[in-house]
Amino acid sequence: MGTQEIVTRCQAIFEDLNFTVARDWKNAQPGRKVIGFMPVYVPLELIHAANALPLGIMGGGDQMEVIHGDAYYQSYICRIPRSTIELGVTGRLDFVDMMLFPFVCDVIRNLSGIWKMMFPNVVSRFFDTPQNFEEKIGGEYYSHELQELREAIEQTTGNKITDDALRNSIKLYNENRKLIWGLYDARAKEPWKFPTWELYLLMRAGLQLPVEEHNQMLKDYAA
């Protein structure tokens, strides 16, 4: 796939507020699950190891009018949570089986509770991250949080997250990060070859594509 084809596909993914790529992935095989998450901090490896698709949601962008979202949040609140509610109320996320809300801010934390009330048939979970990095304090707390999330994902997907599957997922996502940093390093040296808007679209596409497919896309773009 050539550079222009890659960028065109990423642009289409970016503009699609119905998340067709993720819908098609789920419908391709019976029993597949999609787990939505608000970037950042969510351990995507756990989702992937359960044979589910992580779906990054960054609100509705500037192409969607927020109407219903203002009924749940004050209009001066950031557009991301308000437009995320708009996505949910308008049925654009009706195929998502579980939603994860990391502690990005107080509003996103509260959105996890709002989602539980609005969509009782969807598993909604708040994922907190430690602020203390001492091994016996923040380390043990984070380990406990990860184990609870692991169990919740297993229950939602019906798939056991084995250690071998988790190691494989970690390997794939580490490769993904390495490829991304490789692109940014190349851009620092020759910025005229790597337009910012193209790299942004590449990163956004990774929020919807399976990591294996995104890795190949990053390699093709770099080549």
Side-chain angles (χ1 to χ4, degrees), residues 64-69 82-90 92:
M64 185 181 68
E65 185 177 3
V66 176
I67 300 174
H68 305 284
R82 292 189 295 115
S83 61
T84 298
I85 288 180
E86 194 76 22
L87 289 172
V89 172
T90 54
R92 292 178 168 94

Side-chain angles (χ1 to χ4, degrees), residues 4 7 19 25 50 60 63 67-68 78 81 83 116 127 132 159 169 188 194 204 207 209-210 213-214 221:
Q4 189 55 52
V7 173
F19 305 99
W25 180 90
Q63 300 302 310
I67 300 174
H68 305 284
C78 168
S83 61
K116 286 182 180 179
F127 180 69
N132 184 305
N159 297 323
S169 297
F194 302 88
R204 284 295 298 265
L207 295 178
L209 295 172
E213 187 175 348
H214 192 233
Y221 180 85

Side-chain angles (χ1 to χ4, degrees), residues 156-174:
T156 300
T157 62
N159 297 323
K160 185 73 174 176
I161 299 176
T162 66
D163 288 349
D164 285 342
L166 189 54
R167 289 189 188 98
N168 179 63
S169 297
I170 291 171
K171 180 179 179 181
L172 287 168
Y173 276 97
N174 281 345

Side-chain angles (χ1 to χ4, degrees), residues 195-216:
T196 301
W197 68 275
E198 288 188 2
L199 289 186
Y200 178 74
L201 289 175
L202 274 169
M203 300 308 110
R204 284 295 298 265
L207 295 178
Q208 295 193 45
L209 295 172
V211 65
E212 298 90 342
E213 187 175 348
H214 192 233
N215 284 352
Q216 187 60 53

Side-chain angles (χ1 to χ4, degrees), residues 133-212:
F133 296 103
E134 291 186 27
E135 184 178 350
K136 293 296 183 181
I137 302 175
E140 289 188 6
Y141 167 80
Y142 190 52
S143 178
H144 179 74
E145 285 288 298
L146 288 172
Q147 185 57 41
E148 282 196 350
L149 180 60
R150 180 182 194 167
E151 294 169 359
I153 292 174
E154 288 177 337
Q155 291 175 3
T156 300
T157 62
N159 297 323
K160 185 73 174 176
I161 299 176
T162 66
D163 288 349
D164 285 342
L166 189 54
R167 289 189 188 98
N168 179 63
S169 297
I170 291 171
K171 180 179 179 181
L172 287 168
Y173 276 97
N174 281 345
E175 181 186 11
N176 187 264
R177 298 179 185 104
K178 183 178 180 180
L179 290 167
I180 289 171
W181 281 114
L183 281 176
Y184 279 115
D185 287 343
R187 184 182 182 277
K189 296 174 182 176
E190 298 177 293
W192 57 91
K193 290 186 177 180
F194 302 88
T196 301
W197 68 275
E198 288 188 2
L199 289 186
Y200 178 74
L201 289 175
L202 274 169
M203 300 308 110
R204 284 295 298 265
L207 295 178
Q208 295 193 45
L209 295 172
V211 65
E212 298 90 342

Side-chain angles (χ1 to χ4, degrees), residues 79-100:
R79 180 179 172 84
I80 292 176
R82 292 189 295 115
S83 61
T84 298
I85 288 180
E86 194 76 22
L87 289 172
V89 172
T90 54
R92 292 178 168 94
L93 297 173
D94 57 3
F95 66 101
V96 175
D97 303 285
M98 182 180 188
M99 283 288 291
L100 299 178

